[in-house]
Amino acid sequence: DAGVIQSPRHEVTEMGQEVTLRCKPISGHNSLFWYRQTMMRGLELLIYFNNNVPIDDSGMPEDRFSAKMPNASFSTLKIQPSEPRDSAVYFCASSKEAGVGGANVLTFGAGSRLTVL
Amino acid sequence: RKEVEQDPGPFNVPEGATVAFNCTYSNSASQSFFWYRQDCRKEPKLLMSVYSSGNEDGRFTAQLNRASQYISLLIRDSKLSDSATYLCVVPADRGSTLGRLYFGRGTQLTVWP
């Protein structure tokens, strides 16, 4: 199993540019999560999908951020326009739906390190 | 009160030492908990799941105290390779099998020779 695959691994861009981050979850996992990690705020959940449907996007910072999951094997997180404060590591994670009373065990991708100048 | 809080450390211990981290959580309805490990510039990886009162996996022991709403992680006979940040994870109670997970800020551990 290749695990959760994210691209790009690193991106450096200028303020105002559009950024698109990509994620391929583990085959058979039906939940997908986008997290952002910074030194100041730690790991923050931005949005998660279940069976390709967005369930909770309350963590998305503002309208500049959008996420899609057009099918079970692909998701994107887009920032338009990007700002320096968006600089962070963006992690995608996937999980199988937990059983009753259980909870998700997440498998994370390697992350996309974004720097906005 | 934050959903989950951890002592950020850092904890600096010699090889062979025993070290313990605590984590407190606010949602008394949470049923299951996790410890993740994150190496420098890497992704978090599941270390242990914590159910019931706790469980043990080799040198690692996780305990749960529901009355006081805290989880602990004990590492015995520390190895250099244990150096990492340890994240406490608590699920939000949504009355559902799915939902958000709250990650603590992590406790940094450095084991020195």
Side-chain angles (χ1 to χ4, degrees), chain A residues 56-70:
Chain A
D56 183 352
D57 65 353
S58 59
M60 296 286 263
E62 48 198 271
D63 292 345
R64 296 184 299 106
F65 286 69
S66 62
K68 293 182 180 179
M69 191 166 186

Side-chain angles (χ1 to χ4, degrees), chain B residues 12-23:
Chain B
N12 297 303
V13 302
E15 269 188 296
T18 295
V19 61
F21 312 135
N22 284 335
C23 164

Side-chain angles (χ1 to χ4, degrees), chain B residues 65-86:
Chain B
N65 185 317
R66 291 189 186 277
S68 302
Q69 294 181 214
Y70 78 79
I71 314 150
S72 64
L73 178 67
L74 181 77
I75 305 175
R76 291 181 298 276
D77 188 23
S78 299
K79 311 291 185 190
L80 296 177
S81 57
D82 294 334
S83 298
T85 297
Y86 291 84

Side-chain angles (χ1 to χ4, degrees), chain A residues 76-88:
Chain A
T76 59
L77 178 67
K78 187 173 291 187
I79 308 173
Q80 167 63 18
S82 58
E83 297 182 3
R85 60 191 167 123
D86 302 330
S87 297

Side-chain angles (χ1 to χ4, degrees), chain B residues 16-87:
Chain B
T18 295
V19 61
F21 312 135
N22 284 335
C23 164
T24 59
Y25 61 94
S26 60
N27 185 358
S28 60
S30 295
Q31 294 296 310
S32 53
F33 309 84
F34 307 94
W35 283 100
Y36 278 70
R37 170 195 168 125
Q38 186 172 23
D39 292 299
C40 186
R41 300 181 76 85
K42 298 287 188 181
E43 71 273 24
K45 292 183 179 178
L46 179 67
L47 176 67
M48 294 180 75
S49 302
V50 188
Y51 301 104
S52 185
S53 61
N55 49 293
E56 184 174 320
D57 182 5
R59 298 182 295 108
F60 297 83
T61 300
Q63 291 190 317
L64 169 62
N65 185 317
R66 291 189 186 277
S68 302
Q69 294 181 214
Y70 78 79
I71 314 150
S72 64
L73 178 67
L74 181 77
I75 305 175
R76 291 181 298 276
D77 188 23
S78 299
K79 311 291 185 190
L80 296 177
S81 57
D82 294 334
S83 298
T85 297
Y86 291 84
L87 304 168

Side-chain angles (χ1 to χ4, degrees), chain A residues 37 39-40 56 58 106 109, chain B residues 36 38 43 94 100 105:
Chain A
Q37 187 174 39
M39 288 292 292
M40 292 298 294
D56 183 352
S58 59
L106 300 184
Chain B
Y36 278 70
Q38 186 172 23
E43 71 273 24
R94 286 173 158 260
R100 54 175 52 233
R105 293 290 302 276

